[in-house]
Amino acid sequence: MSLQIIINGVATGAVYALIATGFALIFNVLKFSNFSHGATMMTAAFAAYFVAASKGMGLAATLAAAVIAGALIGIFGEFVGFRRITLNHSSPTYFFVSSITLGTLYEGLITIKVGSNFYNYPGFFTHSSVKLGSLVVSSSDIMMLVISITALAVLAYVIQKTRLGRALRAVSFDRDTAQLMGIDSTRIIQLTFIMSGILAGAAGVFLGIKYTLYPSLGSLVVKGFIASVIGGLGSLTGAVIGAVLLGIVETILLSLLGSGYNTIATFAIMLIFLLVRPQGIAGSNIQEKA
């Protein structure tokens, strides 16, 4: 196993960690799986392309456009999906159905806009790769790794060290009790959807840079879901661990088996974890509501 493969795997895993953490945030607080997360990621990535990247505005502006779009899409999903449960006392199944419906709607709108065309982000880097001794590392991989680690570190600080983070953890543990203690649970849930959307937007740009932009880009959210299952649904730490492990394993399998068997192998790994340790690496047994 070469160091080159490990570095590539960690860089890929860092992007998967953004997806998995955004997915796990919603599950951690609401105990629901937000199945529109992938479509949010794809829509934000396209919004960033048409607003900034296609105008030559650079990587910073493109990322800013993506996270803003992701945040707006996230809060819209909270209002249309989850809020209906609390206001109308609807069945939790409503969120399950509405999240899938929203995801389909987002993908349909993008398909109408761009058709089946593929779009490429412009070259944001003067040099496509950096040579470190005998290693050749893609500039985009370095960028994804640095920004992903920074974003996850900021998120960890917010959750563990700030008043907002304490409120989020309280709502995650018991929403009704947190409400009785003076915490505005609705506002905290809204902020959770916003943070999830921000992570989705950043991940969408990184995937667009690494691969290409196309209407079914959101299907790559399955990588984040697998990472969440491996790490433990609802565990943010587990989501990061699972994502990095998945990125490394996927890169190794790609070099050994090729792309044809890579996806099958990653699903097999997830099934093994579900059979041997269903709560994941760092998770606990949580029953999903929908």
Side-chain angles (χ1 to χ4, degrees):
M1 185 188 307
S2 68
L3 183 58
Q4 181 81 62
I5 293 176
I6 297 297
I7 293 174
N8 293 341
V10 171
T12 302
V15 179
Y16 291 167
L18 290 180
I19 304 172
T21 305
F23 194 91
L25 266 174
I26 303 299
F27 191 93
N28 185 275
V29 174
L30 303 178
K31 309 302 181 287
F32 295 115
S33 293
N34 181 14
F35 290 102
S36 66
H37 190 70
T40 299
M41 180 178 71
M42 176 270 299
T43 307
F46 268 103
Y49 175 82
F50 288 116
V51 170
S54 63
K55 296 177 172 47
M57 295 178 66
L59 178 60
T62 301
L63 276 172
V67 299
I68 291 172
L72 293 175
I73 296 168
I75 196 66
F76 176 75
E78 185 275 336
F79 179 78
V80 173
F82 176 75
R83 190 80 59 85
R84 302 301 96 188
I85 299 174
T86 56
L87 293 181
N88 300 333
H89 305 288
S90 302
S91 166
T93 305
Y94 179 87
F95 184 78
F96 173 80
V97 175
S98 62
S99 65
I100 293 178
T101 303
L102 279 173
T104 304
L105 174 63
Y106 297 153
E107 187 169 331
L109 291 174
I110 291 297
T111 302
I112 292 173
K113 171 68 177 178
V114 304
S116 58
N117 296 327
F118 288 74
Y119 293 80
N120 293 311
Y121 281 111
F124 292 118
F125 309 100
T126 305
H127 303 286
S128 59
S129 62
V130 176
K131 190 172 183 179
L132 304 172
S134 60
L135 300 176
V136 179
V137 185
S138 168
S139 298
S140 62
D141 282 348
I142 295 175
M143 176 273 299
M144 290 189 299
L145 183 60
V146 171
I147 296 179
S148 296
I149 290 175
T150 302
L152 293 171
V154 170
L155 178 64
Y157 176 82
V158 169
I159 291 176
Q160 296 297 328
K161 301 296 184 181
T162 67
R163 186 175 180 180
L164 169 62
R166 289 192 293 271
L168 191 152
R169 284 183 279 132
V171 172
S172 171
F173 186 75
D174 191 324
R175 186 164 66 245
D176 294 332
T177 301
Q179 188 81 31
L180 291 173
M181 297 298 292
I183 297 175
D184 189 342
S185 298
T186 300
R187 183 62 56 85
I188 295 300
I189 291 170
Q190 288 174 337
L191 290 172
T192 302
F193 273 88
I194 289 173
M195 289 189 290
S196 177
I198 287 173
L199 293 174
V205 170
F206 294 154
L207 290 174
I209 292 173
K210 189 173 181 66
Y211 303 111
T212 188
L213 280 178
Y214 52 96
S216 58
L217 179 70
S219 62
L220 290 177
V221 76
V222 71
K223 305 291 187 179
F225 178 73
I226 292 174
S228 294
V229 171
I230 293 173
L233 277 173
S235 170
L236 301 184
T237 302
V240 175
I241 295 172
V244 174
L245 288 176
L246 179 63
I248 294 173
V249 170
E250 190 176 78
T251 305
I252 294 172
L253 292 175
L254 184 63
S255 65
L256 295 177
L257 304 177
S259 59
Y261 297 97
N262 189 36
T263 303
I264 297 174
T266 53
F267 272 101
I269 293 171
M270 182 185 71
L271 291 175
I272 291 171
F273 264 89
L274 288 174
L275 290 172
V276 177
R277 188 176 172 83
Q279 69 270 35
I281 295 173
S284 57
N285 288 314
I286 299 176
Q287 184 175 358
E288 191 176 1
K289 294 180 181 178

